[in-house]
Amino acid sequence: MTARYELMRLHLNCSPMKAEVADLLVLGIESSCDETGVALVRAVGEGVPLLLAHALHSQVAMHQAYGGVVPELASRDHIRRVLPLTTQVLSLAQCTLDQIDVVAYTRGPGLAGALLVGAGIACALGAALERPVLGVHHLEGHLLSPFLGADPPTFPFVALLVSGGHTQLMRVDGVGRYALLGESIDDAAGEAFDKSAKLMGLGYPGGPALSKLAQQGDPKAFKLPRPLLHSGDLDFSFAGLKTAVMVQAKKLCAAQTDARGAAAAFCALPMRTQADLAASTEAAIVDVLVRKSLVALARTGLQRLVVAGGVGANRLLRAQLDAACPLRGVRVHYPELDLCTDNGAMIALAAAMRLRSGCQQANTGYAFDVKPRWPLAQL
Ligand code: KG4
Ligand code: ZN
């Protein structure tokens, strides 16, 4: 738990007494992919909900050996983690189970088995505590996550959602009022980072590692495509970029022979060359994300940009947006770094904001389904 959350907890002085009627204590459970996240968020009156505590277990180490997420292993691990993490956040927030007003869980999109674990446990908890439950859209959680930050946005805004599975530009007019402006027609930005990183032998998930390596490289060293940069619309395409990175890596490795494969041959290149290709790859992805975000802002006439999802943690993306946006009178809002990637806090927050805005009611039936494929614009 960071110092900021500790302060929030102390400030709220979460007492063992039942929360006041105006307060809403929401337990959030995230289990859509390879992170188990649990959090407690408190909504006080009409104000922005406050994060009391959150806890996370990342499965990255478990999946690393396979080069990507193994769905069955992910589901089994979520089963092991949800309840201990729940005990942990209750203890961090000095709250008790019976103080929880609503149990929220990620209903989709994501891996079906993994989603079912979170949904099943949330509904069992809800039934046992006789509290309502609420299924949340994972991307809505990401999109609203900057509201838990030090500099929360106000509506309306343009949202750049950049995760491992999605790259979307949305117009956001309020909670539940989302209009899709453009999206990736193939790979997501996070996928472009991960796939490029994999062929550079950087492991999984490769985004943070590629970005770290890129810091020592020259972003102009290799000429890589900026797909759909001038397409006139707000769509993205990253599959061709990944192929271009692969072709470039193969050329560089042509003189190498390494029986262990292409990634090992790449790792045998001089460190400077590796870093140059990483920096050129990162620059190509970031250039497209920044340019299209600026076009979306100009077209909508909005002057706020919210960046959310795992790639929102990227250092270069933040630096370029921080440089470009103020020149156009645009304010940019990010989630806290530890809330960029998947977590339970954003699920509890989205549930609290949906309940508070009246756009969804919690369910007391405890029958549940999950939605592995679920476009945000369908909410
Ligand atoms: O939002 P997220 O945790 O999961 C999904 O909902 O997909 O995003 C994970 C993605 C991965 O592709 C990961 O490589 C990428 O976010 N990522 C980054 C960085 N941190 C995470 N990509 C680039 N730079 C980073 N610093
Ligand atoms: Zn996510």
Side-chain angles (χ1 to χ4, degrees):
M1 189 167 76
T2 66
R4 190 172 57 89
Y5 303 145
E6 183 66 33
L7 277 176
M8 276 181 187
R9 184 179 66 68
L10 291 172
H11 173 67
L12 279 164
N13 191 20
C14 189
S15 80
M17 307 284 287
K18 181 82 192 81
E20 290 167 34
V21 180
D23 286 13
L24 196 63
L25 188 62
V26 183
L27 179 77
I29 300 175
E30 155 63 30
S31 70
S32 66
C33 191
D34 58 352
E35 324 265 359
T36 321
V38 179
L40 270 175
V41 157
R42 168 161 285 167
V44 185
E46 295 304 307
V48 176
L50 294 167
L51 179 58
L52 302 189
H54 83 115
L56 195 74
H57 175 79
S58 171
Q59 302 177 354
V60 162
M62 184 179 74
H63 296 296
Q64 218 143 29
Y66 305 92
V69 180
V70 183
E72 180 63 23
L73 294 183
S75 310
R76 290 176 188 209
D77 201 58
H78 287 308
I79 292 172
R80 280 193 287 270
R81 307 292 174 183
V82 174
L83 289 180
L85 289 173
T86 303
T87 307
Q88 193 181 332
V89 295
L90 284 167
S91 153
L92 285 168
Q94 292 181 12
C95 291
T96 53
L97 262 182
D98 66 304
Q99 288 179 296
I100 294 170
D101 295 304
V102 178
V103 184
Y105 62 93
T106 306
R107 190 179 176 203
L111 302 170
L115 289 166
L116 281 168
V117 173
I121 296 178
C123 289
L125 264 178
L129 298 170
E130 298 183 343
R131 298 289 193 279
V133 294
L134 194 140
V136 169
H137 196 295
H138 179 84
L139 292 181
E140 186 177 37
H142 276 305
L143 192 149
L144 298 175
S145 60
F147 281 95
L148 290 175
D151 177 29
T154 52
F155 299 113
F157 54 77
V158 168
L160 172 68
L161 266 176
V162 270
S163 70
H166 295 83
T167 301
Q168 298 184 329
L169 279 162
M170 316 274 310
R171 181 190 165 106
V172 179
D173 285 297
V175 180
R177 295 169 64 200
Y178 313 127
L180 185 67
L181 302 172
E183 65 183 333
S184 178
I185 57 172
D186 43 50
D187 289 355
E191 236 173 319
F193 269 108
D194 292 343
K195 288 178 176 173
S196 303
K198 194 171 179 179
L199 62 92
M200 293 177 199
L202 293 172
Y204 147 86
L210 189 149
S211 181
K212 191 161 177 244
L213 178 61
Q215 283 181 54
Q216 293 138 48
D218 173 7
K220 294 198 171 80
F222 297 102
K223 206 166 161 8
L224 293 172
R226 268 73 173 153
L228 300 190
L229 192 62
H230 303 293
S231 61
D233 59 24
L234 295 170
D235 286 339
F236 302 87
S237 165
F238 291 108
L241 172 62
K242 165 207 65 196
T243 309
V245 174
M246 191 169 65
V247 169
Q248 191 59 62
K250 273 192 181 156
K251 261 195 229 163
L252 289 169
C253 297
Q256 313 259 348
T257 44
D258 196 311
R260 290 166 302 165
F266 185 82
C267 293
L269 292 171
M271 193 44 98
R272 178 71 208 203
T273 311
Q274 294 180 42
D276 282 350
L277 188 59
S280 303
T281 306
E282 183 182 51
I285 298 170
V286 167
D287 270 3
V288 180
L289 294 176
V290 171
R291 183 79 68 91
K292 296 260 173 171
S293 300
L294 296 178
V295 175
L297 287 158
R299 288 208 185 146
T300 55
L302 296 178
Q303 295 197 305
R304 264 177 211 285
L305 177 68
V306 158
V307 182
V311 181
N314 183 267
R315 188 189 42 86
L316 183 68
L317 177 64
R318 287 184 175 220
Q320 289 204 1
L321 287 173
D322 287 344
C325 287
L327 299 175
R328 292 160 177 82
V330 171
R331 285 200 60 194
V332 200
H333 303 263
Y334 307 96
E336 297 296 318
L337 271 178
D338 62 340
L339 298 183
C340 279
T341 45
D342 294 348
N343 63 83
M346 67 185 197
I347 301 306
L349 169 81
M353 289 182 79
R354 285 186 79 78
L355 290 167
R356 279 287 188 244
S357 67
C359 68
Q360 189 170 344
Q361 298 210 323
N363 166 26
T364 45
Y366 309 119
F368 62 88
D369 64 353
V370 294
K371 293 187 161 210
R373 287 178 181 276
W374 189 11
L376 183 56
Q378 272 181 14
L379 258 189

